[in-house]
């Protein structure tokens, strides 16, 4: 319980840090203000810090009392291109940018865990890599950090890797959850350009309109999904954009649409790529138009090592009690670039319910909503769990440990 108690004593500091990050959200790979705040939060700790070259990442290595294995803890730091509509007094100062997915909480939690772990260096052996990552929201920041040497930062590759992710809607506030195997979906993108012959809207027989062909392709996509994906296998396909034309009486030359495809096995995505390409080409031939089909692999599925999910569940129950943990009944169809790390290192993601107090999570605005709100009351528990996962994974030492000073 001393870990939780020490984390609670940091609550005010954690809240200030989270709200400072929230007020000045940054998107993409370059987050100079956020990086500066993280470096300030880590100042004074016995860390070896590396900043990213091609992105505003922070990688910090903390050494224990004696040589031992390496564990990795990750927090993402970037925001979304969303204008905040939540009624909070620390709302975003910038239109079109908002921490709508809780990465500001992750950042503060991992910074808090760094203080908790530094105060307990005599209790564990080895090294802990703290991964503060930009660009999770569609910019593949984890891949960039891996390419810059993240997994070799501590001199040897980590034996295990863990991340936390808050949710405003999936679980009650303060409830933790994970599962073995697939946690989150792969994210692929279908991008289709249909090329016809432009002309006057009054004379369609003298043109080849690409819009009906594109619409026919879109209407057939669910059938393609059904032909490839097993009935009990989760998958999702949604068309998000369609663009064509400039005027009602002008037949355009091109029509374009894009769809997101979510699956949980690489083999399923590969089969879908072939089926969707054949479908679009067949429809194009029937309409007498040309088509370019691109199937782009964005993020792989996020797959937890069963042993690491079981370990994280045990640590969570020990720290917070069995009533604060549940196993996820099914994976989420959202995607995560922490999947890049889990392809290399066994590990897992633990979800944490963070709906505001007094709000039924089932009716609360969800992650990515401009109205979403998260409860600062979960910050201390998140910091404690980050620290506990590393402490339990690394070999223990036995010397007494003083309580940490407030940051």
């Amino acid at each position: 319980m001393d870990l939780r108690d020490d984390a609670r004593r940091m609550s005010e500091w954690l809240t200030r840090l989270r709200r400072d990050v929230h007020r000045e959200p940054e998107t993409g790979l370059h987050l100079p203000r956020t990086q500066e705040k993280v470096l300030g939060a880590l100042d004074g700790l016995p860390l070896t810090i590396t900043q990213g070259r091609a992105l505003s990442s922070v990688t910090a290595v903390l050494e224990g009392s004696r040589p031992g294995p390496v564990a990795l803890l990750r927090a993402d730091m970037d925001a979304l291109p969303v204008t905040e509509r939540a009624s909070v007094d620390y709302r975003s100062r910038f239109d079109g940018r908002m921490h709508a997915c809780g990465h500001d909480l992750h950042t503060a939690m991992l910074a808090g865990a760094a203080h908790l772990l530094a105060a307990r260096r005599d209790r564990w052996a080895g090294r802990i890599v703290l991964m503060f990552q930009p660009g999770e929201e569609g910019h593949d920041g984890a891949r960039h950090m891996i390419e810059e040497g993240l997994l070799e930062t501590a001199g040897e590759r980590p034996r295990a890797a863990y991340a936390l992710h808050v949710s405003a809607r999936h679980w009650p506030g303060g409830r933790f959850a994970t599962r073995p195997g697939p946690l989150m979906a792969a994210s692929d993108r279908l991008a289709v350009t249909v090329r016809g012959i432009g002309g006057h809207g009054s004379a369609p027989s003298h043109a080849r309109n690409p819009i009906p062909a594109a619409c026919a392709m879109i209407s057939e996509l669910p059938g393609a999904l059904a032909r490839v994906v097993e009935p009990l296998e989760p998958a999702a396909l949604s068309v998000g954009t369609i663009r064509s034309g400039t005027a009602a009486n002008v037949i355009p030359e091109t029509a374009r649409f894009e769809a997101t495809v979510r699956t949980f096995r690489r083999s399923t995505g590969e089969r879908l790529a072939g089926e969707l390409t054949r479908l679009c080409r067949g429809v194009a031939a029937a309409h007498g138009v040309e088509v370019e089909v691109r199937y782009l692999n964005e993020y792989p599925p996020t797959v937890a090592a069963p042993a690491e999910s079981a370990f994280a569940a045990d640590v969570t129950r020990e720290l917070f009690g069995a009533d604060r943990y549940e196993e996820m009944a099914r994976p989420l169809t959202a995607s995560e670039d922490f999947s890049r790390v889990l392809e290399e290192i066994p590990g897992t993601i633990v979800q944490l319910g963070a709906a505001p107090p007094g709000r039924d999570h089932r009716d609360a605005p969800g992650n990515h909503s401009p109205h979403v709100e998260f409860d600062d009351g979960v910050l201390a528990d998140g910091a404690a769990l980050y620290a506990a996962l590393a402490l339990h994974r690394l070999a223990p030492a036995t010397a007494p440990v003083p309580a940490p000073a407030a940051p």
Side-chain angles (χ1 to χ4, degrees):
M1 291 299 292
D2 65 324
L3 188 64
R4 289 183 62 189
D5 291 342
D6 291 343
R8 283 195 208 94
R9 283 192 280 271
M10 300 168 61
S11 291
E12 184 177 342
W13 178 80
L14 291 168
T15 299
R16 285 200 309 272
L17 175 59
R18 181 256 164 156
R19 294 184 178 188
D20 284 347
V21 173
H22 189 94
R23 287 187 187 97
E24 297 189 308
E26 297 172 295
T27 61
L29 297 172
H30 301 289
L31 321 176
R33 288 186 176 91
T34 308
Q35 184 185 53
E36 183 179 5
K37 291 177 175 65
V38 169
L39 293 172
L42 301 178
D43 188 44
L45 297 180
L47 300 166
T48 302
I49 293 178
T50 304
Q51 298 179 44
R53 299 184 299 275
L55 69 171
S56 302
S57 60
V58 176
T59 304
V61 178
L62 179 63
E63 294 195 15
S65 60
R66 52 191 172 86
V70 180
L72 181 147
L73 304 174
R74 177 271 209 159
D76 38 12
M77 305 186 294
D78 58 318
L80 283 157
V82 171
T83 296
E84 184 161 16
R85 304 297 183 199
S87 300
V88 294
D89 58 10
Y90 52 89
R91 64 185 298 168
S92 170
R93 294 173 179 168
F94 309 122
D95 285 343
R97 285 185 273 168
M98 175 191 176
H99 273 289
C101 201
H103 297 184
D104 48 338
L105 283 83
H106 307 163
T107 299
M109 289 171 179
L110 188 55
H115 285 265
L116 295 169
L117 290 164
R120 290 164 167 76
R121 293 173 69 195
D122 290 341
R123 291 192 187 180
W124 52 275
R127 283 146 292 168
I128 298 170
V129 177
L130 306 174
M131 174 188 179
F132 292 90
Q133 179 211 313
E136 189 276 332
E137 297 288 358
H139 296 270
D140 215 350
R143 176 178 61 81
H144 289 282
M145 290 188 71
I146 290 171
E147 290 174 352
E148 289 196 353
L150 165 75
L151 301 181
E152 288 73 38
T153 304
E156 63 181 87
R157 290 166 72 87
R159 293 190 183 180
Y162 308 103
L164 266 64
H165 204 300
V166 296
S167 172
R169 191 165 189 173
H170 286 98
W171 292 276
R175 184 79 59 82
F176 296 90
T178 189
R179 72 188 306 274
L183 285 170
M184 302 178 78
S187 176
D188 298 334
R189 179 157 53 98
L190 175 69
V192 178
T193 300
V194 184
R195 294 186 177 89
I197 299 173
H200 199 289
S202 65
S205 61
H206 296 286
R208 286 288 184 271
N209 194 337
I211 293 177
C215 291
M217 294 173 193
I218 290 170
S219 68
E220 291 295 327
L221 293 178
L225 201 69
R227 287 192 294 274
V228 170
V229 181
E230 295 291 335
L232 298 180
E233 181 181 349
L237 188 154
S238 298
V239 177
T241 68
I242 180 166
R243 301 183 181 91
S244 188
T246 57
N249 63 345
V250 177
I251 294 174
E253 290 189 342
T254 60
R256 298 179 175 87
F257 68 88
E258 293 190 2
T260 186
V261 184
R262 305 301 173 103
T263 61
F264 292 90
R265 292 191 294 181
R266 283 187 177 275
S267 59
T268 302
E270 291 168 359
R271 293 198 307 275
L272 271 173
E275 180 68 18
L276 294 173
T277 300
R278 285 190 294 272
L279 164 67
C280 292
R281 287 174 178 170
V283 172
H287 283 254
V289 296
E290 297 179 351
V291 67
E292 177 189 350
V293 183
R294 293 182 298 150
Y295 191 91
L296 308 171
N297 302 119
E298 295 181 327
Y299 293 161
T302 304
V303 181
E308 294 300 339
S309 285
F311 164 78
D314 288 342
V315 172
T316 303
R317 285 189 288 256
E318 178 180 334
L319 192 62
F320 299 104
D323 61 330
R324 294 276 303 276
Y325 175 81
E326 66 180 70
E327 183 167 308
M328 295 166 60
R330 60 186 64 87
L332 303 176
T333 50
S335 61
E336 246 284 4
D337 68 356
F338 193 61
S339 57
R340 304 286 190 194
V341 176
L342 296 185
E343 283 191 318
E344 302 284 338
I345 307 296
T348 194
I349 299 175
V350 179
Q351 303 284 343
L352 172 56
R359 183 70 184 264
D360 186 336
H361 68 284
R362 294 165 293 188
D363 297 327
N367 293 27
H368 289 221
S369 165
H371 299 280
V372 70
E373 296 181 37
F374 299 98
D375 178 19
D376 287 327
V378 304
L379 289 168
D381 284 350
L385 183 58
Y386 264 131
L389 289 168
L391 286 168
H392 283 71
R393 173 50 64 206
L394 300 178
T398 57
V401 179

